[in-house]
Amino acid sequence: MKFNNQTAIVTGGTRGIGKGIVQAFLKEGATVIATYAGNDEAAAKFKNECLLYGDKLIIKKCDVRDEVAIVHFFSEVELTHPQIDILVNNSGIRKDQLTATMTLADWNDVISTNLTGTFLMSKHAVLQFMKNRYGRIVNMSSIGGSLGLAGQANYAASKAGQIAISKSLSKEVAKRGITVNNVCPGFIDTELLADLPIDQRKEYMKDVPMKRFGTVEEVAAAVLFLASKEASYITGASLEISGGL
């Protein structure tokens, strides 16, 4: 139970990779506060799936694009959990379109959720971490930030931006015992891939040297390592979970 007596916040923590990360932390003894943007049904379903963990799992609705909502979120959390140890910035969306036909709204939606959300959550988590001179931030970036897949200019920019933020923030807080790292998944078998046409899934799989998509559990294992006390000398780093892409 590596994370006994530790509290983790996982944004976008009720579905997909976020859900797997939350479950991995719970299995290792952590108390987890999982946020979600608006899918009440999925959040309630996930809560029911985790009843055996009792009050170790707390689920809260929070829009990571809204600083007022985030300030309120941290104020509420502090009342019951005065020490937060870990933040996983997992909230993310995709709105793919060729750059020439991408709307400004789709650009802004992806950037504000994936990148501005990471900035705002990290900003307010660091204020909590500094009080205890300890903290772990893990950003769920993507190999898309370096590969730049066609039709994903907004997504690629947001994911590359997460890595850039981590580089700067990690230097600012290193002396306070706070680390900031990125996990960069490749093609992971979640609902995001399930939305793709079958032919496109096959083409993506051909590109992976391991000839398979990754699992949520494989990504969660990397997150838990970077969030652990054992990873104390790793900061500003990016770990690819991509099957060799």
Side-chain angles (χ1 to χ4, degrees):
M1 305 292 279
K2 185 178 289 187
F3 293 94
N4 259 344
N5 302 316
Q6 291 196 48
T7 300
I9 295 171
V10 181
T11 66
T14 60
R15 295 191 297 164
I17 289 176
K19 176 180 173 181
I21 292 168
V22 169
Q23 290 171 321
F25 273 121
L26 290 170
K27 288 175 184 176
E28 290 292 342
T31 295
V32 185
I33 302 163
T35 77
Y36 70 103
N39 193 328
D40 297 322
E41 184 180 349
K45 181 181 177 183
F46 181 48
K47 181 67 174 176
N48 286 332
E49 291 172 2
C50 296
L51 290 177
L52 73 158
Y53 295 107
D55 60 3
K56 286 277 192 179
L57 173 62
I58 299 134
I59 295 180
K60 289 183 174 289
K61 183 183 285 191
C62 181
D63 185 349
V64 299
R65 303 169 300 176
D66 182 351
E67 188 167 20
V68 173
I70 288 171
V71 169
H72 180 68
F73 167 79
F74 276 101
S75 297
E76 278 194 337
V77 167
E78 194 172 12
L79 293 175
T80 53
H81 298 84
Q83 180 166 332
I84 301 297
D85 304 284
I86 300 157
L87 167 66
V88 180
N89 284 309
N90 175 72
S91 287
I93 61 171
R94 247 185 42 226
K95 293 191 174 182
D96 296 354
Q97 187 58 261
L98 295 176
T99 304
T101 55
M102 183 179 292
T103 66
L104 181 59
D106 283 352
W107 171 270
N108 286 336
D109 282 348
V110 172
I111 295 296
S112 62
T113 300
N114 301 4
L115 185 54
T116 304
T118 293
F119 159 67
L120 290 173
M121 288 297 296
S122 298
K123 170 185 173 179
H124 290 280
V126 161
L127 295 174
Q128 301 286 326
F129 293 160
M130 289 174 71
K131 297 175 185 176
N132 302 304
R133 300 189 70 85
Y134 180 85
R136 298 282 184 266
I137 296 176
V138 181
N139 296 323
M140 299 307 299
S141 184
S142 168
I143 60 162
S146 56
L147 292 181
L149 297 175
Q152 292 190 345
N154 48 4
Y155 185 77
S158 70
K159 294 303 176 178
Q162 284 181 305
I163 293 173
I165 285 176
S166 302
K167 291 286 187 182
S168 294
L169 181 57
S170 65
K171 292 175 173 64
E172 296 169 0
V173 299
K175 290 183 179 179
R176 302 297 185 100
I178 302 167
T179 66
V180 189
N181 292 293
N182 305 280
V183 169
C184 302
F187 299 118
I188 307 301
D189 210 357
T190 67
E191 59 262 30
L192 283 177
L193 279 184
D195 290 342
L196 297 174
I198 293 175
D199 289 345
Q200 192 171 358
R201 281 173 57 92
K202 288 179 179 178
E203 285 301 311
Y204 283 161
M205 195 174 292
K206 285 179 184 177
D207 292 336
V208 181
M210 286 189 174
K211 300 305 176 189
R212 68 174 178 87
F213 294 143
T215 68
V216 169
E217 290 77 14
E218 288 169 322
V219 176
V223 174
L224 262 62
F225 169 64
L226 291 174
S228 71
K229 292 181 178 179
E230 288 80 0
S232 57
Y233 202 58
I234 303 172
T235 194
S238 297
L239 177 58
E240 291 189 1
I241 314 295
S242 67
L245 277 171

